[in-house]
Amino acid sequence: MKDQLRLAIRAALKQCYTDGSLTSGEFPKEVQLEIPKNSEHGDFSTNLAMTLAKPERKAPRKIAETLVAALQGNSLCDKIEIAGPGFINFRLIATCWYKVLDQIMQQDETYGYSQVGAGKKIQVEFVSANPTGPLHIGHGRGAVVGDAVAAVLQAAGFEVQREYYINDAGNQILTLGRSILLRLRELQGEIVEFPEDGYQAAYIVDLAAKYRSEQGELNDVTEAEAIELCSRFGIVEILKWIEADLKSFGIHFDHWFSEQNLYDQGMVDQELLKLKEKGLSFEEDGALWLRTTDYGDDKDRVLIKSDGSYTYFASDVAYHMEKFDRGFDQVIDVWGADHHGYIPRMKAMLAGLGHPPEALEVLLIQMVNLHRDGQPYIMGKRSGNFITLKEVIDEVGRDACRFFFLMRRCDSQLDFDLELAKQQSSDNPVYYVQYAHARVCSINRNAAESGIEPLQPGQIDYNRLELTEELALVKQLARFPETVVGAALSYEPHRIIFYLQDLAAQFHSYYNRHRVLVDDPATTRARLCLVNSVRIVLANALQMLGMSAPERM
RNA sequence: GCGCCAGUAGCUCAGUUGGAUAGAGCAACGGACUUCUAAUCCGUAGGCCGAGGGUUCGAAUCCUUCCUGGCGUGCCA
């Protein structure tokens, strides 16, 4: 709809240039069309005349008049007006809008999906929590946002890969193995001193017990081998937990990428060599450094420490180079906001190796503050009230959980109230949206009971939809595809959540004011078509974001 | 000190990437179930968009200087 109008405006502008009524020959890269907040200003509005004021050296309103004259007689609009400082406001013919309903009924579960990203490969790497413990609430937000970003991109036609990077190398893995081993020795009756920097949590004891019952005791191996065995066992078990949690959230990854594998394949050394050959790295104080300050970082960064071990940055360099080798046009990393200091060095590394820094987009996920009944819920790792993601999902349910995580822009902090999220009341926006869907389904059941036949394309008389609320609903439905595209291109899935709430509100209001099933069959059919279009859009949006669209509530 | 993010109604937040009179949900107050599900709707009230300066036809949005909160600033992960 919008695109058609945009084309018409472009054509009009071109005509003005050829007939000489406008002279600058200036063509904006894109004709800006917006939906005015105030519906009296029409369906769409453009500021074109104002942007042309400077090159044309004429008053905006004069230019607008010229453009409007050229636009007369096109088949889309029934009213074109000049307003304010030079806006051109368009009101489309109602029958134009009603075509959207045909489109929705016809496309059904594919309505809202597009091909704007066709041919582009994007990778979204998210969660990537260390396999040293269960996922917590903060991981949950990153998981849902990452998954939703991926889903929205897919809906816009991009080829998307979801990837989980497993940090299964390095110090914390040693600590994990050591911690399990010590607990295992305890179970074997030894008295051990548990170090401060070990993992204290109870699940380590569980892992030790499981090791003991499945693998037996560890007596005839060296310390190093024992730690190694425990680490590997722990990683596998914990990854099983993580995968199960994510699965209960409806999230699955296309690819699990092991850091250790990067080392085993020699890729880290290979990439470090490349950096050296390009003269980007240097040795100092017995360590190997990357000169990231050449590309805007405020400090150079260590790749290999003076004791010969690698930093995480070293494997991250190799990992990201490997991502681009796989042919992605865009790589998205979803990180906790506390890692933001890492971005400059990553971008510097990419620039040094000849990749445009924009090819990596880092989405920072701000903190989640847990609340219960309005009171902050303090989580100490030491204290007993540490709450895992699994417990949250079990308590509030998958749909509510996902909805709450998507309700905010990801770079603003999120207050998550456990009581509110599980409340099945009007305070809870999840049910508000789902209820709208269930209501349409209920109308359909009633329609079927009273013998109304299923809708046939072509037998619907849209002129029966003459109420202003009905036209407004149709316009809202027409906005869904562009909302999805906008959410995809800006990596902002929360836009769809707000769209859903707006649509549900409009529907509930309409439902309360007017009956769908009325005496007149033609009106009934037209209204059934309208509310079912609402149902389809609600279902598509919910489904896209991994939530259910219940038929009854 | 430096860097990143945020600051919009009493609370939690949107604001279509610079557009017209700044919006929604809670909370408050007053109404609507004999009618397709009241997990709903209708109405009232609520604002110096943190503060100052700048850019222009036009700023919550862009540039700048401050103020407040969070996070970061390791040869930690």
Side-chain angles (χ1 to χ4, degrees):
Chain A
M1 202 65 38
K2 201 172 181 176
D3 294 333
Q4 285 176 40
L5 181 58
R6 194 172 273 143
L7 285 175
I9 296 171
R10 257 192 125 71
L13 182 59
K14 198 170 176 186
Q15 189 196 319
C16 289
Y17 288 141
T18 47
D19 69 18
S21 51
L22 292 176
T23 51
S24 69
E26 195 91 6
F27 262 103
K29 44 200 174 312
E30 195 194 48
V31 176
Q32 286 183 44
L33 264 189
E34 61 160 27
I35 299 170
K37 282 175 236 170
N38 188 338
S39 60
E40 285 170 27
H41 294 140
D43 296 328
F44 294 105
S45 167
T46 182
N47 60 356
L48 184 60
M50 282 129 93
T51 59
L52 286 174
K54 210 169 247 175
E56 285 286 331
R57 306 176 61 87
K58 275 191 206 160
R61 291 191 68 111
K62 272 267 178 257
I63 300 170
E65 280 169 29
T66 314
L67 281 167
V68 169
L71 276 160
Q72 286 309 327
N74 80 80
S75 56
L76 292 169
C77 307
D78 75 0
K79 196 165 81 178
I80 306 176
E81 284 180 330
I82 301 166
F87 291 104
I88 306 174
N89 296 334
F90 302 89
R91 198 178 69 199
L92 268 53
I93 299 169
T95 51
C96 275
W97 286 113
Y98 292 128
K99 283 181 196 152
V100 171
L101 297 178
D102 282 334
Q103 223 181 78
I104 297 172
M105 299 304 273
Q106 197 185 340
Q107 297 180 2
D108 202 359
E109 64 258 340
T110 63
Y111 179 72
Y113 288 72
S114 67
Q115 289 300 320
V116 298
K120 288 215 165 148
K121 280 178 72 179
I122 301 192
Q123 186 206 49
V124 186
E125 180 218 322
F126 58 110
V127 189
S128 298
N130 289 343
T132 55
L135 298 177
H136 58 70
I137 186 93
H139 295 128
R141 186 178 186 190
V144 172
V145 171
D147 188 52
V149 167
V152 167
L153 285 167
Q154 273 176 319
F158 291 93
E159 187 185 329
V160 178
Q161 187 193 48
R162 292 170 170 83
E163 180 151 304
Y164 189 117
Y165 181 57
I166 310 166
N167 287 113
D168 54 357
N171 253 325
Q172 89 281 2
I173 294 303
L174 270 181
T175 306
L176 174 69
R178 216 176 273 134
S179 303
I180 297 173
L181 180 60
L182 285 170
R183 293 303 186 203
L184 181 60
R185 295 218 167 111
E186 260 176 2
L187 292 174
Q188 290 173 206
E190 287 178 41
I191 300 197
V192 302
E193 192 157 329
F194 204 84
E196 270 292 303
D197 62 352
Y199 294 128
Q200 311 274 350
Y203 65 81
I204 296 290
V205 181
D206 300 340
L207 286 171
K210 186 154 196 227
Y211 188 95
R212 193 175 179 218
S213 70
E214 288 178 9
Q215 310 283 324
E217 302 195 336
L218 268 172
N219 295 320
D220 306 321
V221 292
T222 67
E223 179 80 3
E225 283 168 338
I227 291 173
E228 171 74 12
L229 285 167
C230 286
S231 306
R232 293 299 139 203
F233 180 81
I235 291 169
V236 169
E237 290 301 313
I238 291 171
L239 280 175
K240 276 190 217 161
W241 300 344
I242 290 176
E243 203 171 351
D245 286 0
L246 291 169
K247 198 175 167 193
S248 74
F249 229 154
I251 295 174
H252 94 277
F253 286 88
D254 303 307
H255 198 211
W256 295 70
F257 193 101
S258 156
E259 179 188 10
Q260 185 59 48
N261 193 43
L262 218 45
Y263 283 103
D264 295 346
Q265 307 277 316
M267 293 165 99
V268 179
D269 289 325
Q270 197 180 310
E271 291 302 332
L272 294 191
L273 193 64
K274 271 193 211 163
L275 292 169
K276 196 172 199 170
E277 284 167 354
K278 295 203 173 204
L280 298 166
S281 61
F282 63 97
E283 284 184 43
E284 194 176 289
D285 302 330
L288 183 71
W289 298 71
L290 184 64
R291 204 184 314 276
T292 52
T293 47
D294 283 356
Y295 297 94
D297 199 2
D298 28 72
K299 261 189 80 172
D300 292 325
R301 305 296 174 176
V302 172
L303 293 162
I304 302 180
K305 300 181 238 175
S306 52
D307 67 0
S309 63
Y310 295 83
T311 62
Y312 265 70
F313 185 44
S315 48
D316 279 339
V317 170
Y319 177 41
H320 283 80
M321 295 319 294
E322 198 276 342
K323 286 188 184 191
F324 286 109
D325 288 346
R326 276 189 263 164
F328 294 109
D329 299 292
Q330 177 76 53
V331 163
I332 298 174
D333 285 9
V334 180
W335 296 351
D338 51 341
H339 288 73
H340 72 255
Y342 225 74
I343 297 176
R345 76 189 71 169
M346 292 297 285
K347 300 253 180 189
M349 173 271 287
L350 289 177
L353 284 166
H355 284 95
E358 314 83 64
L360 170 69
E361 175 80 24
V362 180
L363 298 183
L364 294 175
I365 309 293
Q366 282 290 346
M367 279 177 31
V368 178
N369 301 308
L370 263 190
H371 292 254
R372 198 179 274 286
D373 279 332
Q375 294 301 309
Y377 188 87
I378 310 294
M379 293 206 299
K381 283 201 175 175
R382 294 288 173 85
S383 54
N385 61 346
F386 190 83
I387 185 162
T388 62
L389 178 60
K390 182 174 170 41
E391 289 165 325
V392 174
I393 301 173
D394 288 348
E395 183 173 341
V396 311
R398 169 175 153 182
D399 288 345
C401 214
R402 290 190 77 121
F403 198 97
F404 271 68
F405 280 138
L406 292 172
M407 260 189 334
R408 303 266 174 272
R409 264 195 3 245
C410 68
D411 50 11
S412 83
Q413 295 191 10
L414 171 69
D415 290 324
F416 191 108
D417 195 303
L418 291 163
E419 292 306 319
L420 177 59
K422 78 175 165 183
Q423 236 173 68
Q424 306 210 348
S425 77
S426 53
D427 290 348
N428 195 329
V430 195
Y431 299 110
Y432 182 82
V433 172
Q434 291 181 327
Y435 185 48
H437 183 270
R439 270 184 153 172
V440 180
C441 294
S442 172
I443 295 173
N444 286 340
R445 284 190 296 270
N446 285 305
E449 255 175 52
S450 37
I452 297 171
E453 288 178 17
L455 297 172
Q456 296 294 329
Q459 69 157 189
I460 297 151
D461 178 10
Y462 290 128
N463 291 322
R464 300 301 174 119
L465 299 175
E466 53 192 3
L467 300 167
T468 55
E469 295 99 312
E470 289 168 336
L471 188 55
L473 261 174
V474 173
K475 289 175 185 174
Q476 178 73 4
L477 293 171
R479 295 182 67 174
F480 181 55
E482 67 204 61
T483 303
V484 175
V485 170
L489 297 180
S490 59
Y491 314 129
E492 290 182 347
H494 76 274
R495 293 190 190 191
I496 294 175
I497 293 288
F498 281 92
Y499 174 84
L500 269 172
Q501 297 189 91
D502 287 345
L503 178 59
Q506 266 188 57
F507 169 75
H508 282 309
S509 175
Y510 174 67
Y511 178 95
N512 258 272
R513 212 191 286 259
H514 307 287
R515 281 186 63 85
V516 172
L517 308 176
V518 290
D519 292 337
D520 177 53
T523 304
T524 297
R525 273 201 299 273
R527 290 185 176 175
L528 270 174
C529 173
L530 174 64
V531 296
N532 274 285
S533 296
V534 172
R535 174 184 59 77
I536 288 168
V537 172
L538 289 172
N540 289 1
L542 285 167
Q543 200 264 341
M544 191 182 291
L545 299 179
M547 291 174 284
S548 66
E551 297 190 0
R552 284 171 209 275
M553 287 174 76

